[in-house]
């Protein structure tokens, strides 16, 4: 595997490649990331991964400084997956001057759910993903469904800008007890790790109730928030949305069987976890 940090060297290395499959990451790779590499391999060749902890998508009080950086271990895992190039730019490589031109998602999608609780997050994500796409020029790119809203925003962005990159969504990779794998799981104490699957169990409860025709989705969301709080969580939201556009379904849309997804973000101690489940 070639490890490349400069945009120029990356362009030289990938010149003439028309079927590149790309997996952007922030490193601290776990089985969930590796499943994205395997899916990428089924959709293109060569597989290119990136590791870049993108300052632009972190708020001032978020975990940019303490975000886990495990470069050597990541390299070994990517080697085993047969990744052809690892693009690992420094901040100076990717942002040699202040990144003043930004990609701003529309308010209706960018300022709800994660966007409401993490102002600027999707601006930072869309900006770096656009820049990474410009460097790698992939034919396909793979993103996990665990970041459901991120996947939808990137897919819409690629469509509206007519980017030549097909966006592929990968199923969430879960531990045996149901906890969605995430680099932030590493922040959990042993007691918190034992409690953490309750987030997914709450989503399963909501999904079962909604499938059984629960008439009042807002009440169901409140019920789920209370359950989490009762277990010591501080939930930001539990929200049932239409899969198509992440807007709240009307009673008529729910009754008509519009496909739904329940999304949540909640803090356990100092660790904020997100998860979702298609209903
Ligand atoms: O999902 C992530 O890890 C990041 O948001 C991404 C897509 C690599 C952009 O920094």
């Amino acid at each position: 595997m070639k490890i490349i940090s400069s945009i120029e060297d990356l362009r030289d290395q990938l010149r003439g490649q028309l079927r590149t499959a790309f997996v952007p990451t922030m490193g601290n790779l776990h089985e969930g990331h590796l499943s994205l590499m395997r899916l990428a391999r089924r959709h293109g060749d060569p597989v290119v991964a990136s590791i870049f902890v993108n300052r632009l998508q972190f708020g001032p009080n978020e975990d940019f400084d303490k975000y886990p950086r495990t470069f050597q271990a990541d390299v070994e895992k990517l080697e085993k997956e047969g990744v052809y190039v690892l693009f690992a730019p420094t901040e100076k490589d990717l942002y040699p001057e202040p990144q003043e031109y930004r990609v701003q998602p529309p308010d209706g999608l960018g300022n709800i759910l994660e966007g409401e609780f993490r102002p600027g997050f999707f601006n930072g994500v869309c900006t770096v993903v656009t820049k990474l796409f410009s460097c790698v020029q992939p034919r396909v790119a793979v993103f996990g469904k665990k970041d459901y809203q991120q996947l939808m925003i990137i897919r819409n962005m690629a469509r509206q800008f007519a980017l030549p990159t097909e966006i592929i969504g990968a199923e969430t990779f879960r531990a045996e007890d149901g906890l969605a794998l995430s680099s932030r799981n590493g922040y959990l104490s042993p007691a918190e790790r034992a409690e953490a699957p309750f987030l997914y169990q709450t989503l399963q409860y909501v999904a079962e109730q909604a499938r059984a025709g629960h008439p009042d989705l807002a009440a169901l969301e409140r019920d789920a928030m209370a359950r989490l709080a009762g277990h010591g969580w501080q939930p930001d939201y539990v929200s049932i949305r239409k899969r198509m556009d992440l807007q709240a379904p009307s009673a008529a849309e729910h009754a008509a069987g519009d496909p739904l997804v329940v999304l949540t973000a909640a803090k356990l101690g100092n660790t904020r976890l997100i998860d979702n489940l298609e209903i």
Side-chain angles (χ1 to χ4, degrees), residues 10 16 24 68 99 105 124 136 138 147 177 180 212 220 226 236 239:
L10 182 75
Q99 184 68 32
V136 176
D147 298 286
D177 59 11
L220 183 54
D236 282 346
S239 197

Side-chain angles (χ1 to χ4, degrees), residues 14 17-22 43-48 136-141 165:
L14 294 179
Q17 297 285 4
L18 298 177
R19 296 184 57 243
T20 300
F22 178 45
H43 287 272
D45 184 40
V47 174
V48 174
V136 176
Q137 311 222 338
R139 197 191 69 75
V140 302
T165 303

Side-chain angles (χ1 to χ4, degrees), residues 130-201:
T130 303
K131 194 152 187 178
L132 290 168
F133 281 7
S134 155
C135 300
V136 176
Q137 311 222 338
R139 197 191 69 75
V140 302
V142 181
F143 294 84
K145 274 195 189 178
K146 187 176 88 64
D147 298 286
Y148 204 88
Q149 188 179 6
Q150 168 175 282
L151 171 61
M152 177 171 288
I153 287 177
I154 290 171
R155 192 170 264 149
N156 290 356
M157 175 183 86
R159 192 186 63 245
Q160 288 211 348
F161 282 123
L163 301 181
T165 303
E166 182 190 343
I167 306 301
I168 295 176
E171 292 306 323
T172 301
F173 201 98
R174 297 185 182 280
E176 266 181 24
D177 59 11
L179 178 66
L181 295 201
S182 161
S183 299
R184 291 189 168 100
N185 293 351
Y187 297 151
L188 298 169
S189 69
E192 290 166 345
R193 175 61 189 82
E195 167 59 27
F198 189 69
L199 192 63
Y200 182 53
Q201 289 159 20

